[in-house]
Amino acid sequence: MIMGAAGLMLHLWLIMGLTLVICALCMAAILPRLWPRLARFNLTTQQQLLWCWVLLPYLLAGYVVMLVLTPVVGHQLGLALNHHHLHYPQGHFHGVSWQGACVLLLMAVMLWWLLTTIWRHTQQHQHLRTLWAFAERDDRGGYRIDSDIPNAFTVGLWRPKILISRALVQALSAEELETVYRHELAHQQARDPLRLWLFKLLTVVFVPAVRQSLYAKFELLIEQQADAVVVRQGGDAVVAATLVAATLVKVHRLVLRHQTLPHQKTADSHQKTAGLSGCAFYTTAIEARVRQLLADDPGRALPALVGVFGVLLLASIVVLTLTGSYFTHDLHHSIEMLLHYHP
Amino acid sequence: MQLGELEKLVLNYLWAQGAADVKQVHAHFQKTRGGSLNTIQSTLDRLHKKAILKREKQGHAYLYRAAMEKEVFLGALIRRVTLDFAADPNHLLAAFVDLSADFDEAHLDHLEALIKASRQQKMDASS
């Protein structure tokens, strides 16, 4: 039996882990019904809603942990008014129990995830370092590389850099190249690689299919947002949107023709299957981006009042919890009974 | 695959020259950055072990050349960076084109027609 603060920590770890898992599973069941509703909103609102969605399991887990600790914390803060008894932070954690098995499983999963993530990032970092070794800075602050693959991308978590291949530079007109460059600049200025990484980190609690679906949707929104930035900079919105859409199609065509070259077929054939799976709405991301560019209706925004109401609601729940109101008292004891946690 | 500074310089030299033995490579770099013959030999050996260089025996010495053209090598490098990232949902780059995405010419033709129709429609609406 593990007692004292260590026992309490293990209990809290278990509570947080179980809440995350149960919450993520429930949300996975609801998500398919919400995708169609998401499309009604504009790009910014859709991103905000996705962030709320992936943060929700962590907020709920934090709230449940707070419920367990409420009597102690509320009392120490002088907020708890109607306490019939005090719960001291002394947990008795029984290692040989279902709680112990769950904690071990959670720790093993987390350790596995951490190690594989570190290994993958190390590999990616090495590949990137080699790539940068062969890139040359251009006159606009981006980088060029002597590659036959027509593409451009922004990469780097803390100091994102733009890389454009010479094949793309040679194949596009000045106007089209400017479009591509501005698109990548929008990614750089918005620090999109970092946002992608943070979003990916938060989706780790979801099952793989849901995780990929959420990530694919968020990635698509990031690209659409960068397209929208270029359109806004272009003066006439219709002309600019058409130019961006046409450039997108042209670059995709260049990539497709490059991939169908005889010496490329073997190398690429096994990789083409790793497409944007789980994006329920659209056939491909390019179609979604083109349709977004050509759409007359950008979607609606969430009224500011909704955000204010949400913050007030959250604050109220926290205050009510810390002051040990009636419902929190019952919830707290329900959790204790569920986990057989009685100090 | 990770390449050091000297490895990169040697590779660039061989791409420019075509083929060279260790003495020729050393003679070239002695003017610009110095370094011993052993250092150049080690670099060439490392690149050969990484399968970036090929070599054939000519007399007592090896003649080294790049295993692939520069554009092909860099293309493979970019593909490794972008597609490896894309195949793994943890990728951290924002690419203009997702190289792993599934699309074909017919799909692109359809999108082009969509763009033209939309442009025409909007021009007619504005006039």
Side-chain angles (χ1 to χ4, degrees):
Chain A
M1 191 180 346
I2 302 167
M3 292 165 49
L8 175 64
M9 284 296 119
L10 286 170
H11 274 292
L12 293 179
W13 171 250
L14 175 65
I15 289 164
M16 189 175 276
L18 286 178
T19 308
L20 279 173
V21 168
I22 293 167
C23 189
L25 286 172
C26 294
M27 289 168 76
I30 301 168
L31 193 61
R33 292 200 176 93
L34 294 182
W35 282 133
R37 293 171 198 271
L38 193 67
R40 295 178 197 170
F41 298 99
N42 64 25
L43 297 177
T44 306
T45 304
Q46 286 189 53
Q47 283 188 50
Q48 289 168 347
L49 290 172
L50 279 184
W51 278 113
C52 289
W53 188 259
V54 298
L55 281 169
L56 190 57
Y58 301 93
L59 290 175
L60 278 174
Y63 178 67
V64 172
V65 165
M66 192 167 64
L67 272 178
V68 170
L69 291 176
T70 295
V72 174
V73 173
H75 175 73
Q76 287 181 349
L77 289 175
L79 294 176
L81 301 173
N82 294 317
H83 249 7
H84 299 293
H85 52 274
L86 287 174
H87 293 187
Y88 292 95
Q90 289 174 355
H92 303 287
F93 191 88
H94 296 271
V96 184
S97 61
W98 70 267
Q99 292 97 325
C102 282
V103 164
L104 273 175
L105 183 64
L106 286 170
M107 281 184 174
V109 166
M110 192 169 140
L111 190 64
W112 171 254
W113 173 82
L114 198 64
L115 289 173
T116 52
T117 301
I118 290 171
W119 180 84
R120 207 169 16 242
H121 278 242
T122 307
Q123 293 285 301
Q124 290 166 355
H125 181 67
Q126 283 177 359
H127 294 152
L128 277 174
R129 277 190 64 181
T130 305
L131 190 65
W132 291 126
F134 288 99
E136 290 159 11
R137 209 172 168 98
D138 64 18
D139 51 5
R140 300 196 61 177
Y143 290 81
R144 300 280 166 93
I145 190 157
D146 270 331
S147 163
D148 57 350
I149 295 184
N151 206 348
F153 49 88
T154 305
V155 64
L157 278 185
W158 312 116
R159 283 180 292 186
K161 294 179 192 154
I162 297 169
L163 192 71
I164 304 179
S165 69
R166 285 204 198 280
L168 194 66
V169 172
Q170 283 160 4
L172 297 181
S173 67
E175 212 176 25
E176 290 163 345
L177 193 59
E178 181 67 20
T179 300
V180 171
Y181 186 80
R182 284 191 183 190
H183 175 97
E184 296 307 320
L185 194 60
H187 281 313
Q188 188 186 50
Q189 287 169 349
R191 295 182 162 271
D192 283 339
L194 180 61
R195 288 166 69 202
L196 285 168
W197 180 75
L198 282 172
F199 190 85
K200 173 261 157 190
L201 200 65
L202 291 172
T203 59
V204 73
V205 296
F206 294 93
V207 295
V210 171
R211 194 187 314 149
Q212 286 185 20
S213 184
L214 283 168
Y215 191 85
K217 183 60 181 170
F218 186 73
E219 190 188 15
L220 175 62
L221 287 172
I222 292 278
E223 292 300 329
Q224 289 173 324
Q225 188 104 52
D227 292 336
V229 167
V230 179
V231 170
R232 277 199 298 274
Q233 293 170 348
D236 185 303
V238 171
V239 171
T242 309
L243 175 60
V244 176
T247 305
L248 198 52
V249 171
K250 181 171 179 178
V251 175
H252 275 75
R253 213 184 276 283
L254 289 168
V255 168
L256 188 63
R257 284 177 188 161
H258 172 81
Q259 286 177 340
T260 53
L261 289 173
H263 71 275
Q264 298 297 346
K265 276 185 181 164
T266 314
D268 294 338
S269 57
H270 71 282
Q271 285 161 332
K272 277 187 76 72
T273 55
L276 287 173
S277 61
C279 196
F281 279 134
Y282 305 106
T283 311
T284 60
I286 177 178
E287 181 170 348
R289 287 171 69 181
V290 167
R291 287 189 183 277
Q292 178 68 30
L293 284 161
L294 302 179
D296 292 319
D297 179 15
R300 59 179 202 252
L302 264 184
L305 276 176
V306 171
V308 171
F309 176 74
V311 169
L312 285 175
L313 182 66
L314 277 173
S316 311
I317 290 173
V318 169
V319 168
L320 283 173
T321 303
L322 285 175
T323 52
S325 65
Y326 185 73
F327 81 89
T328 56
H329 197 69
D330 279 352
L331 278 174
H332 166 83
H333 281 289
S334 300
I335 293 168
E336 283 189 332
M337 271 183 58
L338 189 69
L339 297 175
H340 305 295
Y341 168 60
H342 295 286
Chain B
M1 174 187 42
Q2 199 173 354
L3 291 186
E5 180 62 27
L6 184 56
E7 286 173 339
K8 178 203 153 189
L9 290 171
V10 166
L11 190 52
N12 274 328
Y13 171 76
L14 287 172
W15 275 323
Q17 289 298 118
D21 61 28
V22 63
K23 283 186 180 166
Q24 287 169 323
V25 178
H26 178 244
H28 171 77
F29 283 107
Q30 204 175 23
K31 297 173 220 163
T32 49
R33 76 191 300 275
S36 67
L37 194 66
N38 279 341
T39 304
I40 300 295
Q41 182 64 69
S42 304
T43 304
L44 288 166
D45 284 342
R46 278 198 305 275
L47 287 170
H48 178 250
K49 277 183 191 148
K50 290 178 186 175
I52 296 171
L53 295 184
K54 292 190 291 194
R55 67 185 185 189
E56 54 193 38
K57 199 108 190 236
Q58 284 202 349
H60 294 293
Y62 281 110
L63 195 67
Y64 291 88
R65 65 177 76 244
M68 55 185 99
E69 299 288 331
K70 185 176 184 179
E71 288 75 20
V72 176
F73 174 81
L74 293 178
L77 193 55
I78 285 190
R79 199 176 298 111
R80 184 176 295 183
V81 168
T82 55
L83 292 183
D84 281 350
F85 276 59
D88 167 7
N90 305 323
H91 67 280
L92 308 174
L93 55 82
F96 195 73
V97 170
D98 181 357
L99 293 180
S100 67
D102 212 3
F103 52 88
D104 56 22
E105 288 279 1
H107 196 187
L108 295 175
D109 291 340
H110 164 72
L111 290 175
E112 235 172 39
L114 199 68
I115 294 167
K116 280 191 184 136
S118 172
R119 183 171 48 206
Q120 192 59 48
Q121 192 182 16
K122 283 174 183 167
M123 278 171 60
D124 291 344
S126 62
S127 63

